[in-house]
Amino acid sequence: MFRRKTGNGERVGRAGALERGIDAGPGGEGIAVVDRRTVTTSAVLAAAMLLTGGGVAQARAAGDITVRLPPPTGPHRIGVTTLHLVDQRRRDPWDSTIPVREVMVTVFYPARTVRGYAIAPQMTPAAAEKFKAVDPIYLHPELPKSGVDWAATMTHSCAGAPAQPVRRPVLLYTPGGGDPRTVGTGVAEELASRGYVVVTIDHPGESSAVEFPDGRVREYGLPGTPQDPQVFRTMIDSRLADTRFVLDELTTLAAGRNPDAEARTLPENLGRALDLRRVGIYGHSAGGTTATEAMYEDRRIDAAVNLEGYLDYPPDRPGQEGELLPCAQHGVDRPLLLFGTDGFRDARFERSWSAMLAHPGERISWRQLDNATHWVFTDYAAIAPQLQATGLMTANDRIKLVGSIDAAKSVAMVRNHVLSFFSQHVPSP
């Protein structure tokens, strides 16, 4: 076991305490300090959620309710656009009839102005319809099967707004298995409002719903569960290839060329906003696995955040230990944040994270949220309490999905820790 309670609702490992300059104390027990900025951010966020309706699901005329995302707290207004990227060198790993690998990404960025540009929805109508049919049935049974207008949830970003013509560090986001990139909108918007260009990546075939510019919607289609050793290996290998490919295409964009497969018009200054000398990556669950291994393999990535992703492969037979990923076998030489919860624990998780933390002299920090569980790192942290408040989700299902932690607290803490880590290791101007 690699954790000790610090007594304030959050836990810190010895490596994390040392990185922050906290006295780890005998036996590695850290005294975690939530500073004034964290408390202020939490209070501002809670108030903003109430003032904007972010903490309350709104009723629709048709009877469905609309959930809202908490607003970002940074000084920059946000623009957003999507890119359809096609890798002609790879076949799709999940569908042999697709001769190329297609990837959809969303780019959030500090905008020069948002006047005259419309707020973008979290999901397109077609993706939301597929999400409603897939997620509550196959992926997240805690979600209501009806009663929510998923297409009505809006972001706080303006579609196509011109970017600020300032070179800014780039952060990649890769979601958990089954989750679309869109359920990572809240953290992405917070980082963009603080001066980062954030690129969220969908991995088609693994996501519940990915819509392409021609109107096609591809749904979840793995040939087994992620616990199957071969499925998991293929997932991680294809995600790593997707990540490398996206970085290559962003290099094309920064050089002044348009990588979008349909050559759709790009927001003004978008390429000029990318500083690919400063790149970070973060991911949730399988995305956290991907983020850690991607940094280990790709020298273009300067720092990584693993939001509760395993660092090994599933064992070939029950009762065996799976092979550690190379990053956990050999350690990393660039900053890594391992961020988990007290509600997501098994022997595989403990072993693989302990192996990573055991490497001497590594630049690894560790954080833990208490009274929380796996999907607290996604937009479900804010959405689940709204669903519970309207009677569409039970208290038990809310706890299974995100834990009992207060939404304003969990949202603020996740944002604050991810932002603080990247501010230190991939600083924005």
Side-chain angles (χ1 to χ4, degrees):
M1 304 287 279
F2 57 82
R3 61 189 186 280
R4 287 180 178 268
K5 187 159 177 79
T6 62
N8 69 341
E10 184 188 8
R11 299 177 184 182
V12 179
R14 182 173 178 84
L18 292 174
E19 184 185 73
R20 292 178 62 190
I22 301 170
D23 182 6
E29 182 167 1
I31 306 300
V33 178
V34 179
D35 61 21
R36 182 175 299 176
R37 180 179 65 175
T38 303
V39 175
T40 302
T41 300
S42 299
V44 170
L45 182 62
M49 288 176 73
L50 291 174
L51 289 172
T52 63
V56 181
Q58 301 296 306
R60 301 279 289 174
D64 288 347
I65 61 103
T66 300
V67 292
R68 296 195 178 185
L69 302 177
T73 63
H76 299 287
R77 297 292 184 91
I78 308 168
V80 65
T81 194
T82 62
L83 297 174
H84 177 207
L85 307 177
V86 178
D87 189 347
Q88 302 286 348
R89 300 165 298 179
R90 286 189 292 150
R91 298 188 70 88
D92 188 88
W94 307 115
D95 188 339
S96 60
T97 68
I98 303 177
V100 296
R101 179 58 170 167
E102 298 178 278
V103 178
M104 288 297 298
V105 305
T106 297
V107 186
F108 298 90
Y109 52 89
R112 179 174 58 79
T113 181
V114 296
R115 181 172 296 179
Y117 293 88
I119 297 289
Q122 182 188 25
M123 302 182 196
T124 65
E129 193 66 22
K130 186 64 68 176
F131 174 90
K132 180 175 67 175
V134 173
D135 265 69
I137 308 300
Y138 303 106
L139 302 173
H140 296 302
E142 302 86 2
L143 293 175
K145 296 177 177 60
S146 61
V148 183
D149 184 353
W150 294 105
T153 300
M154 304 303 289
T155 68
H156 303 88
S157 305
C158 292
Q164 295 177 13
V166 177
R167 295 284 184 186
R168 298 188 178 278
V170 175
L171 303 178
L172 307 180
Y173 171 71
T174 171
D179 286 339
R181 70 191 190 278
T182 49
V183 299
T185 295
V187 172
E189 288 192 316
E190 177 67 16
L191 293 168
S193 79
R194 300 290 183 152
Y196 292 90
V197 176
V198 184
V199 182
T200 64
I201 306 170
D202 252 328
H203 305 281
E206 298 181 37
S207 173
S208 59
V210 183
E211 183 175 7
F212 297 101
D214 61 5
R216 288 177 295 127
V217 181
R218 186 170 174 189
E219 65 181 77
Y220 184 82
L222 295 185
T225 71
Q227 287 71 44
D228 178 270
Q230 189 53 54
V231 170
F232 188 85
R233 286 180 180 273
T234 302
M235 279 179 60
I236 301 307
D237 287 348
S238 64
R239 283 166 169 260
L240 290 169
D242 288 345
T243 301
R244 290 190 295 269
F245 172 62
V246 168
L247 268 176
D248 292 343
E249 296 298 275
L250 293 177
T251 301
T252 296
L253 177 58
R257 300 186 297 276
N258 186 350
D260 185 74
E262 285 74 27
R264 293 173 296 170
T265 301
L266 300 176
E268 181 185 349
N269 299 322
L270 184 62
R272 294 178 61 190
L274 304 176
D275 184 354
L276 293 171
R277 298 168 301 176
R278 295 177 292 167
V279 176
I281 186 170
Y282 67 107
H284 172 241
S285 196
T289 307
T290 303
T292 311
E293 185 64 20
M295 182 180 72
Y296 174 80
E297 295 185 6
D298 196 327
R299 301 300 304 183
R300 293 176 293 180
I301 299 175
D302 301 307
V305 177
N306 179 339
L307 303 173
E308 214 158 58
Y310 291 117
L311 293 174
D312 67 351
Y313 297 104
D316 292 327
R317 294 182 180 85
Q320 294 182 337
E321 290 185 344
E323 178 188 3
L324 292 172
L325 272 83
C327 60
Q329 289 185 44
H330 307 295
V332 293
D333 61 0
R334 280 151 287 159
L336 170 67
L337 171 61
L338 300 176
F339 199 174
T341 67
D342 65 341
F344 185 77
R345 282 289 178 270
D346 61 18
R348 183 183 167 198
F349 183 87
E350 295 281 354
R351 171 179 171 265
S352 65
W353 276 36
S354 294
M356 175 61 79
L357 288 165
H359 290 287
E362 304 291 357
R363 300 178 66 187
I364 304 171
S365 54
W366 172 65
R367 301 288 184 274
Q368 178 173 294
L369 289 185
D370 283 349
N371 304 311
T373 192
H374 197 48
W375 282 275
V376 76
F377 298 110
T378 71
D379 292 336
Y380 293 130
I383 290 172
Q386 296 176 59
L387 298 176
Q388 182 187 357
T390 57
L392 290 174
M393 177 178 284
T394 67
N396 284 339
D397 280 342
R398 178 255 182 93
I399 291 171
K400 287 179 185 177
L401 193 63
V402 299
S404 61
I405 188 171
D406 179 74
K409 180 178 180 180
S410 67
V411 169
M413 292 182 78
V414 169
R415 289 179 173 189
N416 183 68
H417 282 312
V418 174
L419 173 64
S420 296
F421 176 82
F422 283 129
S423 294
Q424 180 178 357
H425 300 296
V426 192
S428 175

